[in-house]
Amino acid sequence: MAGAFVSTPANAQGNVDPMAADQFMATLASHCGKAFAGRIINNLPASATPDAFEGKALVMHVRGCDAPERELRVPFHVGDDHSRTWVLTRTGSGLRLKHDHRHEDGTPDAVTMYGGETADAGTAARQAFPVDAESVAMFEREGMNASLNNTWAMEVEQGKRFVYELSRPGGRLFQVEFDLSQPVALPPAPWGAQ
């Protein structure tokens, strides 16, 4: 687009860092084969109904590391629910995040493989994924209008913490923080895993 200005983050010297996506993937991949316990640090606004995540053991497992520079699969276990896997893929310009949701028999959920691609370079520590058109169409089809403006984000600090985030206009903020300094016992394979 002629004349369009796209903001990209700069490093400490003020230079644009085109390798932020690769650095982000490498940091996360350094935890391949390990699982980590998490806790909810934000869940706003408060819900009047019980939340599916509250009071459950939250565990992420960095696996799917056959080609970690291209793709990582990170199951997100919520208690005995092993239906969720975050799929991070390196694209030509950044990263793509998709949410692979499965039933216990391994078949895909009606709402699966939703997410988005980075709109800017992000940083080695944080990447954001605004909802993509394919996901918007699925959310509309499934009557999930609150999700039409979702943005997901992930943050990683080597050996310290990983944060998964969902936000949307109007004040919705959901964040789970995982302690990368203390691996936990590996959970079962996610539903539908090979």
Side-chain angles (χ1 to χ4, degrees):
M1 227 185 304
F5 175 76
V6 177
S7 171
T8 54
N11 62 22
Q13 291 78 36
N15 301 316
V16 171
D17 183 1
M19 303 309 288
D22 292 331
Q23 293 168 349
F24 183 90
M25 291 287 278
T27 301
L28 186 56
S30 72
H31 299 285
C32 277
K34 297 177 184 166
F36 305 94
R39 65 186 180 93
I40 297 171
I41 56 174
N42 277 300
N43 195 1
L44 305 169
S47 175
T49 60
D51 187 280
F53 298 91
E54 295 285 351
K56 304 273 178 61
L58 306 176
V59 176
M60 66 177 275
H61 181 194
V62 185
R63 55 179 281 159
C65 299
D66 295 337
E69 69 284 353
R70 290 195 309 271
E71 182 179 281
L72 291 168
R73 298 182 70 84
V74 182
F76 174 36
H77 303 271
V78 179
D80 293 328
D81 183 339
H82 310 293
S83 65
R84 301 168 178 86
T85 300
W86 301 317
V87 183
L88 274 169
T89 307
R90 184 70 165 93
T91 67
S93 60
L95 295 174
R96 175 184 307 119
L97 170 65
K98 290 291 183 171
H99 297 73
D100 186 352
H101 284 240
R102 303 282 175 147
H103 296 288
E104 194 165 359
D105 65 3
T107 58
D109 191 84
V111 179
T112 190
M113 298 311 286
Y114 60 85
E117 292 191 15
T118 53
D120 59 38
T123 69
R126 182 177 169 88
Q127 295 285 322
F129 309 90
V131 66
D132 61 26
E134 178 184 46
S135 301
V136 167
M138 180 176 56
F139 292 149
E140 288 177 335
R141 181 187 76 228
E142 297 297 322
M144 300 173 62
N145 293 335
S147 298
L148 300 180
N149 295 302
N150 281 359
T151 297
W152 297 272
M154 292 180 163
E155 295 179 14
V156 63
E157 290 180 65
Q158 178 73 39
K160 293 183 180 176
R161 70 184 200 127
F162 176 87
V163 176
Y164 168 83
E165 173 183 301
L166 163 66
S167 64
R168 64 176 68 112
R172 176 65 173 136
L173 180 62
F174 176 77
Q175 293 176 309
V176 181
E177 179 183 65
F178 298 87
D179 181 356
L180 299 182
S181 71
Q182 296 289 323
V184 298
L186 297 183
W191 295 338
Q194 303 296 327

